[in-house]
Each structure stands twice: as C-alpha cells, then as structure tokens.
Amino acid sequence: MTDLIEPFRIAIPQVDLDDLVARLERTRWPAEAPAAEWDHGVPVSYLRGLAEYWRTGYDWRAHEAALNAIPQYTTVIDGQRIHFLHLRSPEPDALPLLLTHGWPGSVAEFLDVVAPLADPAAHGGDPADAFHVVVPSLPGFGFSQPVLDGGWTVERTARAWAELMHRLGYERYGTQGGDWGSVVSRLVAAVDPGHVVGVHLNYLPFVPPEETTGLSDEDLARVERARRYLAAPSGHLVQQSTRPQTLAFALTDSPAGQLAWLAEKFVGWADPGHPIAADRVLTTVMLYWLTGAGASSAWYYRANAGVRGAPLPCPAPIGVAVSPHDLILPVRSLVERKYTITHWTEFGRGGHFAALEVPEALTADVRAFFRTVRACAAEEAWTASSGALPTSCAGTAPT
C-alpha cells in the first residue's frame, strides 16, 4: 500500500487513433427503424452523420491538449488506480471542492467549470469564491483503469474519495455532483462527516410518497414525473445492472456501438432547445472508447444495483440546482424531510448534464451555495473560540 501521487498526462498513441478511423470506415450500418425518429432509439441517419464527423472532422489532439492543460495525477486507493484532475487555486484561502461525474459522463464534462471555480478573479468573479478543484474519474471510467474487481460500490467509492482528499492534505472540503456523482457526493459526507462542510447537487432523485396532500400543482406534476420514470427503468439501467458483460463486447469492439450507446443519452437527457456541442459529446465518448471503459463503467451499475431507491445519509447541508429538463425534478418539501436543504435554485434551462449544458449557471450556483457554507464555517470557528452558539448556520444533521 502506498500513498504515492504521480503526475499523469494523456498521450494516446497515434496507432489507436488510426485504428478508430479504420473501424469507423468499416462500420456495418443497420436498417433504419420503421418508426418515428428516436422512438426506437438512435436513428441511423443521425448516428451516421455524427460518426462521419468523428472520423473526419473531430480533432482529438486539440481536446487531449485541453484536458492536459489541467494538472492530472494518479494514485492507488484500495487496490484501484484512481485518475483525477487537480487544479489548485491561486487564492490561498480557497476551499477544496470535490467534483464527481456520473454515467455516461467523465471528467471532461467539467472542462468549462474547473478554471472559473479555481480562479474566479480571472473569470469575472470574486476571489473569495475560489476553490481548489479535484475531479476524479470513477473506478472503471476513463483512466481509472484497469479495474481489478467489480465490487466498486458507491460507498466504497466515497471512502476512496475521502482518502484521496486526505492524501491531498485537505481537511475541510465540499463535494458536488450529478447522476452517480450525486450519490457519491452525499456518501462522502456520510463517511467523512467531520471534514465535509457542504454538498452541492445538480441531480437529487427521490422516491415519491403515497400521500401527496398539501403539494402544489407543480409539485404534484413532479411527483407524477418521478413515478413514471421509476416505474419504467431505462434500457441502459436494466442491461448494465444485470448483464453488463454481454453488452461489453459490442461497446469494446465497435466505436459506432459505443457512440450510439452514449449519444442517445446526451441527446435524450439534455435540454432539447439547447443541444450539447458534438465536440463535447465526442470527447467523453473518446474517454470511453480509448480506455475500454464501455465494459468497466457498466460493471459500476451491477455493483450498485441495490442503490436505486435506497435511503442515502448525508449529515451535511445540501444545496440543490434543478434543471427543467432533467430526468427527475425534486420536490423541495419532500426532500427536506430527509436532508438539510439550505440552498435551492431552479435553472431556466438545461437537462441532466449541467456542467456541459449550463456551465456558467452551475458555476454561479456552486459559488453561491458554498458562500453560505463558508460564512457558516467562519461563524462556527468564532463561536467555538468564544463559547457562544452559532445563530445563522442551518445545522448539519439530516431532517
């Protein structure tokens, strides 16, 4: 066991890029489905166009350089190699912040928020809002490879993240995430309660209650939406939670197959009025394709098959940002029965991928939430020295 942290730089061999182009040139395309567009899945015409751009127009080296512009490292925790971005702020009093992606995401989805969070003064913000930003790749995703066992539960991940922050010397820090990152971010606070000062989420699913008396019409609509989503699980959830290895062959052997599997979500889960740029989608697809993560990322679903709908503790104040086109829209009065919600924002647009779709709004909301947390932490420190009780802090115990 070693605590060694090693610098890392992405350097994909040209032979791997040439192989990708050759495979795309030889793609065997299926017949178009006899149904309305997207009703049966990704239309052939859409994917052929995106694949052709991937083959002839997309510049991996430019995006590789953009990723490498952010310092990257690897370390081994609990027997698993963990890859992470780590951008320290120039501000000495910056708060460490741990960002966690989900599926079909990657560290690349945070490219537009890392620098503004770390150096707000250089991006028109207040230096007092600065963060030391840490963005790990989930085990089995991207360069957190190879995966030596398939037992990476969200709780095990949370403990690894707490260890990572400890190795970096961060004693008090915040967490942020959506999708799987929402789950992991809450659990980091649960497994490291003396060190996590706040949790910001851009996705907070909930189990709709039977009794809905007193809810507004808008909240009732959200409850019904959540019921519909939970009653008919998406195909990716069923397959990856039950038989991920069967799927792995197609995702590992066919770039068109990997592209279809991920692109369907980047289209279907995003704000239809503001589609995600093709280059952003393809950069994440590349991180799956080049590392073979189509297989190992699916194992993460199998290891966490029992998490869906399970109660998750979080003994820290939570800030929530809601995007109108997300899969499930939380109802504040319902989630407040379980968590201490101290900040709530309704975005005007966006879907499941807030860091990709509304990076400016997400950055502003993360700053705003942790601004209150920093103020609370300062008051707690003062009252601890004076013997008085804090008056403005909302508390950290779940309600």
Side-chain angles (χ1 to χ4, degrees), residues 161-247:
W161 278 197
E163 170 62 19
L164 173 61
M165 298 302 277
H166 171 73
R167 288 187 188 182
L168 293 173
Y170 295 142
E171 291 302 312
R172 291 175 64 79
Y173 60 95
T175 66
Q176 197 286 327
D179 197 83
W180 281 120
S182 170
V183 179
V184 173
S185 293
R186 282 174 277 163
L187 288 178
V188 173
V191 303
D192 200 15
H195 302 278
V196 177
V197 298
V199 177
H200 184 278
L201 306 174
N202 58 275
Y203 182 58
L204 183 54
F206 66 100
V207 177
E210 293 295 328
E211 177 56 54
T212 57
T213 302
L215 295 182
S216 67
D217 289 344
E218 179 183 354
D219 287 345
L220 288 172
R222 291 187 175 194
V223 168
E224 184 55 34
R225 177 174 178 163
R227 284 174 176 164
R228 289 196 303 269
Y229 179 78
L230 296 172
S234 176
H236 83 281
L237 181 64
V238 175
Q239 183 67 34
Q240 295 187 155
S241 297
T242 56
R243 297 292 186 270
Q245 195 62 13
T246 301
L247 178 69

Coordinates of all heavy atoms in Angstrom, one line a residue, residues 161-247:
W161 N -12.7 8.4 -2.1 CA -12.7 9.9 -2.4 C -12.2 10.6 -1.1 O -11.4 11.6 -1.1 CB -14.0 10.4 -2.8 CG -14.4 10.3 -4.2 CD1 -15.4 11.0 -4.8 CD2 -13.8 9.5 -5.3 NE1 -15.5 10.7 -6.2 CE2 -14.5 9.7 -6.5 CE3 -12.8 8.6 -5.3 CZ2 -14.3 9.1 -7.7 CZ3 -12.5 7.9 -6.5 CH2 -13.2 8.2 -7.7
A162 N -12.7 10.2 0.1 CA -12.3 10.8 1.3 C -10.8 10.5 1.6 O -10.1 11.5 2.0 CB -13.1 10.2 2.5
E163 N -10.3 9.4 1.2 CA -8.9 9.1 1.3 C -8.1 10.0 0.4 O -7.0 10.5 0.7 CB -8.6 7.6 1.1 CG -7.2 7.2 0.9 CD -6.3 7.5 2.2 OE1 -6.9 7.6 3.3 OE2 -5.1 7.6 2.0
L164 N -8.6 10.1 -0.8 CA -7.9 11.0 -1.8 C -7.8 12.4 -1.3 O -6.7 13.0 -1.4 CB -8.7 11.0 -3.1 CG -8.2 12.0 -4.2 CD1 -6.8 11.6 -4.6 CD2 -9.2 12.0 -5.4
M165 N -8.9 13.0 -0.7 CA -8.8 14.3 -0.2 C -7.8 14.4 1.0 O -7.1 15.4 1.2 CB -10.2 14.8 0.2 CG -11.2 14.9 -1.0 SD -10.6 16.0 -2.3 CE -11.1 17.6 -1.7
H166 N -7.8 13.3 1.8 CA -6.8 13.3 2.9 C -5.4 13.3 2.4 O -4.5 14.0 2.9 CB -7.1 12.1 3.7 CG -6.0 11.8 4.8 ND1 -5.9 12.6 5.9 CD2 -5.0 10.9 4.8 CE1 -4.9 12.1 6.7 NE2 -4.4 11.1 6.0
R167 N -5.1 12.5 1.3 CA -3.8 12.5 0.8 C -3.3 13.8 0.2 O -2.2 14.1 0.2 CB -3.7 11.4 -0.3 CG -3.8 10.0 0.2 CD -3.5 9.0 -0.9 NE -3.8 7.6 -0.4 CZ -3.7 6.5 -1.2 NH1 -3.2 6.6 -2.4 NH2 -3.9 5.3 -0.7
L168 N -4.3 14.6 -0.3 CA -4.0 15.9 -0.9 C -3.8 16.9 0.2 O -3.5 18.1 -0.1 CB -5.1 16.3 -1.9 CG -5.2 15.4 -3.1 CD1 -6.4 15.8 -4.0 CD2 -3.9 15.5 -4.0
G169 N -4.1 16.5 1.4 CA -3.9 17.5 2.6 C -5.1 18.3 2.8 O -5.0 19.4 3.5
Y170 N -6.3 18.0 2.3 CA -7.5 18.8 2.5 C -8.3 18.2 3.7 O -8.9 17.2 3.6 CB -8.3 18.8 1.2 CG -7.6 19.4 0.0 CD1 -7.7 18.9 -1.2 CD2 -6.8 20.6 0.2 CE1 -7.1 19.5 -2.3 CE2 -6.2 21.2 -0.8 CZ -6.4 20.7 -2.1 OH -5.7 21.3 -3.2
E171 N -8.4 19.0 4.8 CA -9.1 18.6 6.0 C -10.5 19.0 6.0 O -11.4 18.3 6.5 CB -8.4 19.1 7.2 CG -7.0 18.5 7.4 CD -7.1 17.0 7.6 OE1 -8.0 16.5 8.3 OE2 -6.3 16.3 6.9
R172 N -10.9 20.1 5.3 CA -12.2 20.6 5.2 C -12.5 20.9 3.8 O -11.8 21.6 3.1 CB -12.5 21.9 6.1 CG -12.4 21.6 7.6 CD -12.5 22.9 8.4 NE -13.8 23.6 8.2 CZ -14.9 23.2 8.8 NH1 -15.0 22.2 9.6 NH2 -16.1 23.9 8.6
Y173 N -13.6 20.3 3.2 CA -13.8 20.4 1.8 C -15.3 20.2 1.5 O -16.1 19.8 2.4 CB -13.0 19.4 1.0 CG -13.3 17.9 1.4 CD1 -14.2 17.2 0.6 CD2 -12.6 17.3 2.4 CE1 -14.4 15.8 0.9 CE2 -12.8 16.0 2.7 CZ -13.7 15.3 2.0 OH -14.0 13.9 2.3
G174 N -15.7 20.6 0.3 CA -17.1 20.4 -0.2 C -17.1 19.4 -1.3 O -16.1 19.0 -1.8
T175 N -18.3 18.9 -1.6 CA -18.5 18.0 -2.7 C -19.6 18.5 -3.6 O -20.4 19.2 -3.2 CB -18.9 16.5 -2.1 OG1 -20.2 16.6 -1.5 CG2 -17.8 16.0 -1.1
Q176 N -19.5 18.0 -4.8 CA -20.5 18.4 -5.8 C -20.7 17.3 -6.8 O -19.7 16.6 -7.2 CB -20.1 19.7 -6.5 CG -21.2 20.4 -7.3 CD -21.7 19.8 -8.6 OE1 -20.8 19.2 -9.3 NE2 -22.9 19.9 -8.9
G177 N -21.9 17.1 -7.3 CA -22.1 16.0 -8.4 C -23.5 15.9 -8.8 O -24.4 16.4 -8.3
G178 N -23.6 15.2 -10.0 CA -24.9 14.8 -10.5 C -24.8 13.4 -11.0 O -23.8 12.8 -11.0
D179 N -26.0 12.8 -11.2 CA -26.0 11.3 -11.6 C -25.4 10.5 -10.5 O -25.7 10.7 -9.3 CB -25.4 11.1 -13.0 CG -25.8 9.8 -13.6 OD1 -26.9 9.7 -14.2 OD2 -25.1 8.8 -13.5
W180 N -24.5 9.6 -10.9 CA -23.7 8.8 -9.8 C -23.0 9.8 -8.9 O -22.8 9.5 -7.7 CB -22.8 7.8 -10.4 CG -23.3 6.6 -11.0 CD1 -23.3 6.1 -12.2 CD2 -24.1 5.6 -10.2 NE1 -23.9 4.9 -12.4 CE2 -24.4 4.6 -11.1 CE3 -24.5 5.5 -8.9 CZ2 -25.2 3.4 -10.8 CZ3 -25.2 4.4 -8.5 CH2 -25.6 3.4 -9.4
G181 N -22.6 10.9 -9.4 CA -21.9 11.9 -8.6 C -22.7 12.5 -7.5 O -22.2 12.8 -6.4
S182 N -24.0 12.5 -7.7 CA -25.0 12.9 -6.7 C -25.0 12.0 -5.5 O -25.0 12.4 -4.3 CB -26.4 13.1 -7.2 OG -27.3 13.3 -6.2
V183 N -25.0 10.7 -5.8 CA -25.0 9.6 -4.8 C -23.6 9.7 -4.1 O -23.6 9.7 -2.8 CB -25.2 8.3 -5.4 CG1 -25.2 7.2 -4.4 CG2 -26.5 8.2 -6.2
V184 N -22.5 9.6 -4.8 CA -21.2 9.6 -4.2 C -21.0 10.8 -3.3 O -20.4 10.8 -2.2 CB -20.1 9.4 -5.3 CG1 -18.7 9.6 -4.6 CG2 -20.3 8.1 -6.0
S185 N -21.4 12.0 -3.8 CA -21.1 13.2 -3.1 C -21.8 13.2 -1.7 O -21.3 13.7 -0.7 CB -21.6 14.4 -3.9 OG -20.9 14.6 -5.1
R186 N -23.0 12.7 -1.7 CA -23.7 12.6 -0.4 C -23.0 11.6 0.5 O -22.9 11.8 1.8 CB -25.2 12.2 -0.6 CG -26.1 13.4 -1.0 CD -27.5 12.9 -1.4 NE -27.6 12.3 -2.7 CZ -28.6 11.6 -3.2 NH1 -29.5 11.2 -2.4 NH2 -28.6 11.2 -4.4
L187 N -22.6 10.5 0.0 CA -22.0 9.5 0.8 C -20.6 9.9 1.3 O -20.2 9.4 2.4 CB -21.9 8.1 0.0 CG -23.2 7.4 -0.2 CD1 -23.1 6.2 -1.0 CD2 -23.9 7.1 1.2
V188 N -19.9 10.7 0.5 CA -18.6 11.2 1.1 C -18.8 11.9 2.4 O -18.1 11.8 3.3 CB -17.9 12.1 0.0 CG1 -16.6 12.7 0.6 CG2 -17.5 11.3 -1.2
A189 N -19.9 12.7 2.4 CA -20.2 13.5 3.6 C -20.6 12.5 4.7 O -20.3 12.8 5.9 CB -21.4 14.4 3.4
A190 N -21.2 11.4 4.4 CA -21.6 10.4 5.4 C -20.4 9.6 6.0 O -20.3 9.4 7.2 CB -22.6 9.4 4.8
V191 N -19.4 9.3 5.1 CA -18.2 8.5 5.6 C -17.1 9.4 6.1 O -16.2 8.9 6.8 CB -17.7 7.6 4.4 CG1 -18.8 6.7 3.9 CG2 -17.1 8.4 3.3
D192 N -17.2 10.7 5.8 CA -16.2 11.6 6.3 C -16.8 12.9 6.9 O -16.6 14.0 6.5 CB -15.3 12.1 5.1 CG -13.9 12.6 5.6 OD1 -13.6 12.4 6.8 OD2 -13.2 13.2 4.8
P193 N -17.7 12.7 7.9 CA -18.6 13.7 8.4 C -17.9 14.9 9.1 O -18.4 16.0 9.1 CB -19.5 13.0 9.4 CG -18.7 11.8 9.9 CD -17.9 11.4 8.7
G194 N -16.7 14.6 9.6 CA -16.0 15.7 10.3 C -15.3 16.7 9.4 O -14.7 17.6 9.8
H195 N -15.3 16.3 8.1 CA -14.5 17.1 7.1 C -15.3 17.7 6.0 O -14.8 18.7 5.4 CB -13.4 16.2 6.6 CG -12.5 15.6 7.6 ND1 -11.5 16.2 8.2 CD2 -12.6 14.4 8.3 CE1 -10.9 15.5 9.1 NE2 -11.5 14.3 9.2
V196 N -16.4 17.2 5.6 CA -17.2 17.7 4.5 C -18.1 18.8 5.0 O -19.0 18.6 5.9 CB -18.1 16.6 3.8 CG1 -18.9 17.2 2.7 CG2 -17.1 15.5 3.3
V197 N -17.9 20.1 4.5 CA -18.6 21.2 5.0 C -19.9 21.5 4.3 O -20.8 22.2 4.8 CB -17.8 22.5 5.0 CG1 -16.5 22.3 5.8 CG2 -17.4 22.8 3.5
G198 N -20.1 20.9 3.1 CA -21.3 21.1 2.4 C -21.3 20.3 1.1 O -20.3 19.9 0.6
V199 N -22.5 20.0 0.6 CA -22.7 19.2 -0.6 C -23.6 19.9 -1.6 O -24.8 20.3 -1.2 CB -23.4 17.8 -0.2 CG1 -23.6 17.0 -1.5 CG2 -22.5 17.1 0.8
H200 N -23.2 20.1 -2.8 CA -24.0 20.7 -3.8 C -24.3 19.7 -4.9 O -23.4 18.9 -5.4 CB -23.2 21.9 -4.5 CG -24.0 22.6 -5.5 ND1 -24.2 22.1 -6.8 CD2 -24.8 23.8 -5.4 CE1 -25.0 23.0 -7.5 NE2 -25.4 24.0 -6.7
L201 N -25.6 19.6 -5.2 CA -26.1 18.6 -6.2 C -26.8 19.2 -7.3 O -27.6 20.1 -7.1 CB -27.0 17.6 -5.5 CG -26.5 16.9 -4.2 CD1 -27.6 16.1 -3.5 CD2 -25.3 16.0 -4.5
N202 N -26.6 18.8 -8.5 CA -27.4 19.2 -9.7 C -28.4 18.1 -10.1 O -28.9 18.1 -11.2 CB -26.6 19.7 -10.8 CG -25.6 18.7 -11.4 OD1 -24.5 18.6 -10.8 ND2 -26.0 18.0 -12.4
Y203 N -28.5 17.0 -9.3 CA -29.5 16.0 -9.5 C -29.8 15.4 -8.2 O -28.9 14.9 -7.5 CB -28.9 14.9 -10.5 CG -29.9 13.8 -10.8 CD1 -31.1 14.1 -11.4 CD2 -29.6 12.5 -10.6 CE1 -32.0 13.1 -11.7 CE2 -30.5 11.5 -10.9 CZ -31.7 11.8 -11.5 OH -32.6 10.8 -11.8
L204 N -31.1 15.4 -7.8 CA -31.5 14.8 -6.5 C -32.8 14.0 -6.7 O -33.9 14.5 -6.4 CB -31.6 15.9 -5.4 CG -32.0 15.4 -4.0 CD1 -31.0 14.4 -3.5 CD2 -32.1 16.6 -3.1
P205 N -32.6 12.8 -7.1 CA -33.9 11.9 -7.3 C -34.5 11.6 -5.9 O -33.8 11.6 -4.9 CB -33.3 10.7 -8.0 CG -31.9 10.6 -7.6 CD -31.4 12.0 -7.5
F206 N -35.7 11.3 -6.0 CA -36.4 10.9 -4.7 C -37.5 9.9 -5.0 O -37.9 9.7 -6.1 CB -37.1 12.2 -4.1 CG -38.2 12.8 -4.9 CD1 -39.5 12.5 -4.6 CD2 -37.9 13.5 -6.1 CE1 -40.6 13.0 -5.4 CE2 -39.0 14.0 -6.8 CZ -40.3 13.8 -6.5
V207 N -37.9 9.2 -4.0 CA -38.9 8.2 -4.1 C -40.3 8.8 -3.8 O -40.5 9.3 -2.7 CB -38.7 7.0 -3.2 CG1 -39.9 6.0 -3.3 CG2 -37.4 6.3 -3.5
P208 N -41.2 8.9 -4.7 CA -42.5 9.7 -4.5 C -43.3 9.0 -3.4 O -43.4 7.8 -3.4 CB -43.2 9.6 -5.8 CG -42.1 9.3 -6.8 CD -41.1 8.4 -6.1
P209 N -43.8 9.8 -2.5 CA -44.6 9.2 -1.4 C -46.0 8.8 -1.9 O -46.5 9.3 -2.9 CB -44.6 10.3 -0.3 CG -44.6 11.6 -1.2 CD -43.7 11.2 -2.4
E210 N -46.7 8.0 -1.1 CA -48.1 7.7 -1.4 C -49.0 8.9 -1.1 O -49.9 9.2 -1.9 CB -48.5 6.5 -0.6 CG -47.8 5.2 -1.0 CD -48.2 4.7 -2.4 OE1 -49.3 5.0 -2.9 OE2 -47.3 4.1 -3.1
E211 N -48.7 9.5 0.0 CA -49.5 10.7 0.4 C -48.9 12.0 -0.1 O -47.8 12.3 0.1 CB -49.6 10.7 1.9 CG -50.3 11.9 2.5 CD -51.8 12.0 2.0 OE1 -52.5 10.9 2.1 OE2 -52.2 13.0 1.4
T212 N -49.7 12.7 -0.9 CA -49.3 13.9 -1.5 C -50.1 15.1 -1.1 O -50.1 16.2 -1.8 CB -49.2 13.8 -3.0 OG1 -50.5 13.4 -3.5 CG2 -48.2 12.7 -3.5
T213 N -50.9 15.0 -0.1 CA -51.7 16.1 0.4 C -50.9 17.4 0.7 O -49.8 17.3 1.3 CB -52.5 15.7 1.6 OG1 -53.3 14.6 1.3 CG2 -53.4 16.9 2.1
G214 N -51.4 18.5 0.2 CA -50.7 19.8 0.5 C -49.7 20.2 -0.5 O -49.2 21.3 -0.4
L215 N -49.4 19.4 -1.5 CA -48.5 19.7 -2.5 C -49.1 20.6 -3.6 O -50.3 20.5 -3.9 CB -47.9 18.5 -3.2 CG -47.0 17.6 -2.4 CD1 -46.5 16.4 -3.2 CD2 -45.9 18.3 -1.7
S216 N -48.4 21.5 -4.1 CA -48.9 22.4 -5.2 C -49.1 21.6 -6.5 O -48.6 20.5 -6.6 CB -47.9 23.5 -5.4 OG -46.7 23.0 -6.0
D217 N -49.7 22.2 -7.5 CA -49.9 21.5 -8.7 C -48.6 21.2 -9.4 O -48.4 20.2 -10.0 CB -50.8 22.4 -9.7 CG -52.2 22.4 -9.2 OD1 -52.6 21.6 -8.4 OD2 -53.0 23.3 -9.7
E218 N -47.6 22.2 -9.3 CA -46.3 22.0 -9.9 C -45.6 20.8 -9.2 O -45.0 20.0 -9.9 CB -45.5 23.2 -9.8 CG -44.1 23.1 -10.4 CD -43.2 24.3 -10.2 OE1 -43.8 25.3 -9.7 OE2 -42.0 24.3 -10.5
D219 N -45.7 20.7 -7.9 CA -45.0 19.6 -7.2 C -45.7 18.3 -7.5 O -45.0 17.3 -7.6 CB -45.0 19.9 -5.7 CG -44.1 21.0 -5.3 OD1 -43.2 21.3 -6.1 OD2 -44.2 21.5 -4.1
L220 N -47.0 18.3 -7.6 CA -47.7 17.1 -8.0 C -47.3 16.6 -9.4 O -47.1 15.4 -9.6 CB -49.2 17.3 -7.9 CG -49.8 17.4 -6.5 CD1 -51.3 17.8 -6.7 CD2 -49.7 16.1 -5.8
A221 N -47.1 17.5 -10.3 CA -46.6 17.1 -11.6 C -45.2 16.5 -11.5 O -44.9 15.6 -12.2 CB -46.6 18.4 -12.5
R222 N -44.4 17.0 -10.6 CA -43.0 16.5 -10.5 C -43.1 15.1 -9.8 O -42.3 14.2 -10.2 CB -42.2 17.4 -9.6 CG -41.8 18.7 -10.2 CD -40.8 19.5 -9.4 NE -40.4 20.7 -10.2 CZ -39.4 21.5 -9.8 NH1 -38.7 21.2 -8.7 NH2 -39.1 22.5 -10.6
V223 N -44.0 14.9 -8.9 CA -44.2 13.6 -8.3 C -44.6 12.6 -9.4 O -44.1 11.4 -9.4 CB -45.2 13.6 -7.2 CG1 -45.6 12.2 -6.7 CG2 -44.6 14.4 -6.0
E224 N -45.5 13.0 -10.2 CA -46.0 12.1 -11.3 C -44.9 11.8 -12.3 O -44.8 10.6 -12.7 CB -47.2 12.7 -12.0 CG -47.8 11.8 -13.0 CD -48.3 10.4 -12.5 OE1 -48.7 10.3 -11.3 OE2 -48.2 9.4 -13.3
R225 N -44.1 12.7 -12.6 CA -43.0 12.6 -13.5 C -42.0 11.5 -12.9 O -41.5 10.7 -13.6 CB -42.3 13.9 -13.8 CG -41.1 13.8 -14.6 CD -40.6 15.2 -14.9 NE -39.4 15.3 -15.8 CZ -39.0 16.4 -16.4 NH1 -39.7 17.5 -16.3 NH2 -37.9 16.3 -17.1
A226 N -41.7 11.7 -11.6 CA -40.8 10.8 -11.0 C -41.4 9.3 -10.9 O -40.6 8.4 -11.2 CB -40.5 11.2 -9.5
R227 N -42.7 9.2 -10.7 CA -43.3 7.9 -10.7 C -43.2 7.2 -12.0 O -42.9 6.0 -12.1 CB -44.8 8.0 -10.3 CG -45.0 8.3 -8.8 CD -46.4 8.5 -8.5 NE -46.7 8.7 -7.0 CZ -47.7 9.2 -6.5 NH1 -48.7 9.7 -7.3 NH2 -47.9 9.3 -5.2
R228 N -43.4 8.0 -13.1 CA -43.3 7.4 -14.5 C -41.9 6.9 -14.8 O -41.7 5.9 -15.3 CB -43.8 8.4 -15.5 CG -45.3 8.7 -15.5 CD -45.7 9.4 -16.8 NE -44.9 10.7 -17.0 CZ -45.3 11.9 -16.6 NH1 -46.5 12.0 -15.9 NH2 -44.6 13.0 -16.8
Y229 N -40.9 7.8 -14.4 CA -39.5 7.4 -14.7 C -39.1 6.2 -13.9 O -38.5 5.2 -14.4 CB -38.6 8.6 -14.3 CG -37.2 8.3 -14.6 CD1 -36.6 8.3 -15.8 CD2 -36.3 7.9 -13.5 CE1 -35.3 8.0 -16.1 CE2 -35.0 7.6 -13.7 CZ -34.5 7.7 -15.0 OH -33.2 7.3 -15.3
L230 N -39.5 6.1 -12.6 CA -39.1 5.0 -11.8 C -39.8 3.7 -12.1 O -39.3 2.6 -11.9 CB -39.3 5.3 -10.3 CG -38.4 6.5 -9.8 CD1 -38.8 6.8 -8.4 CD2 -36.9 6.1 -9.8
A231 N -41.0 3.8 -12.7 CA -41.9 2.7 -13.0 C -41.4 2.0 -14.3 O -41.7 0.8 -14.5 CB -43.3 3.1 -13.1
A232 N -40.7 2.7 -15.1 CA -40.3 2.1 -16.4 C -38.8 2.4 -16.6 O -38.4 3.4 -17.3 CB -41.1 2.7 -17.6
P233 N -37.9 1.7 -15.9 CA -36.5 1.9 -16.0 C -36.0 1.9 -17.4 O -36.4 1.1 -18.3 CB -35.9 0.8 -15.2 CG -37.0 0.3 -14.3 CD -38.2 0.5 -15.1
S234 N -35.0 2.8 -17.7 CA -34.4 2.9 -19.0 C -33.7 1.6 -19.3 O -33.2 0.9 -18.4 CB -33.4 4.1 -19.0 OG -32.7 4.2 -20.2
G235 N -33.6 1.3 -20.6 CA -32.9 0.1 -21.0 C -31.5 0.0 -20.6 O -31.0 -1.1 -20.2
H236 N -30.7 1.1 -20.6 CA -29.3 1.0 -20.1 C -29.3 0.6 -18.7 O -28.3 -0.1 -18.3 CB -28.7 2.4 -20.3 CG -29.0 3.4 -19.1 ND1 -30.1 4.1 -19.0 CD2 -28.2 3.7 -18.1 CE1 -30.1 4.8 -17.9 NE2 -28.9 4.6 -17.3
L237 N -30.2 1.1 -17.8 CA -30.2 0.7 -16.4 C -30.4 -0.8 -16.2 O -29.7 -1.4 -15.4 CB -31.3 1.6 -15.7 CG -31.4 1.4 -14.2 CD1 -30.1 1.8 -13.5 CD2 -32.5 2.1 -13.6
V238 N -31.4 -1.3 -16.9 CA -31.7 -2.7 -16.8 C -30.5 -3.6 -17.2 O -30.0 -4.5 -16.6 CB -33.0 -3.1 -17.5 CG1 -33.2 -4.6 -17.5 CG2 -34.2 -2.3 -17.0
Q239 N -30.0 -3.3 -18.4 CA -28.9 -4.1 -19.0 C -27.6 -4.0 -18.2 O -27.0 -5.0 -17.9 CB -28.6 -3.7 -20.4 CG -27.6 -4.5 -21.1 CD -28.0 -5.9 -21.4 OE1 -29.2 -6.2 -21.7 NE2 -27.1 -6.8 -21.3
Q240 N -27.2 -2.8 -17.8 CA -26.0 -2.6 -17.1 C -26.0 -3.1 -15.7 O -25.0 -3.4 -15.1 CB -25.5 -1.2 -17.2 CG -25.2 -0.8 -18.6 CD -24.5 0.6 -18.8 OE1 -23.9 0.9 -19.7 NE2 -24.8 1.5 -17.8
S241 N -27.2 -3.2 -15.1 CA -27.4 -3.6 -13.7 C -27.5 -5.2 -13.7 O -27.4 -5.7 -12.6 CB -28.7 -3.0 -13.1 OG -28.5 -1.6 -13.0
T242 N -27.8 -5.8 -14.8 CA -28.0 -7.2 -14.7 C -27.0 -8.0 -15.6 O -26.4 -9.0 -15.1 CB -29.4 -7.6 -15.3 OG1 -29.6 -7.0 -16.6 CG2 -30.5 -7.0 -14.3
R243 N -26.8 -7.7 -16.8 CA -25.9 -8.4 -17.7 C -24.9 -7.5 -18.4 O -24.8 -7.4 -19.6 CB -26.7 -9.2 -18.8 CG -27.6 -10.3 -18.2 CD -26.8 -11.4 -17.6 NE -27.7 -12.5 -17.2 CZ -28.2 -12.6 -16.0 NH1 -28.0 -11.7 -15.1 NH2 -29.0 -13.6 -15.7
P244 N -24.1 -6.8 -17.6 CA -23.2 -5.8 -18.2 C -22.1 -6.4 -19.2 O -21.7 -5.8 -20.1 CB -22.5 -5.1 -17.0 CG -22.6 -6.1 -15.9 CD -23.9 -6.8 -16.2
Q245 N -21.7 -7.6 -18.9 CA -20.6 -8.2 -19.7 C -21.1 -8.5 -21.1 O -20.3 -8.5 -22.0 CB -20.0 -9.4 -19.0 CG -18.7 -9.8 -19.5 CD -17.6 -8.8 -19.4 OE1 -17.7 -7.8 -18.7 NE2 -16.5 -8.9 -20.1
T246 N -22.3 -8.9 -21.2 CA -22.8 -9.2 -22.6 C -22.8 -7.9 -23.5 O -22.4 -8.0 -24.6 CB -24.3 -9.7 -22.5 OG1 -24.3 -10.9 -21.7 CG2 -24.8 -10.0 -23.9
L247 N -23.1 -6.8 -22.9 CA -23.0 -5.5 -23.6 C -21.6 -5.1 -23.9 O -21.3 -4.5 -24.9 CB -23.7 -4.5 -22.8 CG -23.7 -3.0 -23.3 CD1 -24.6 -2.9 -24.5 CD2 -24.2 -2.1 -22.2

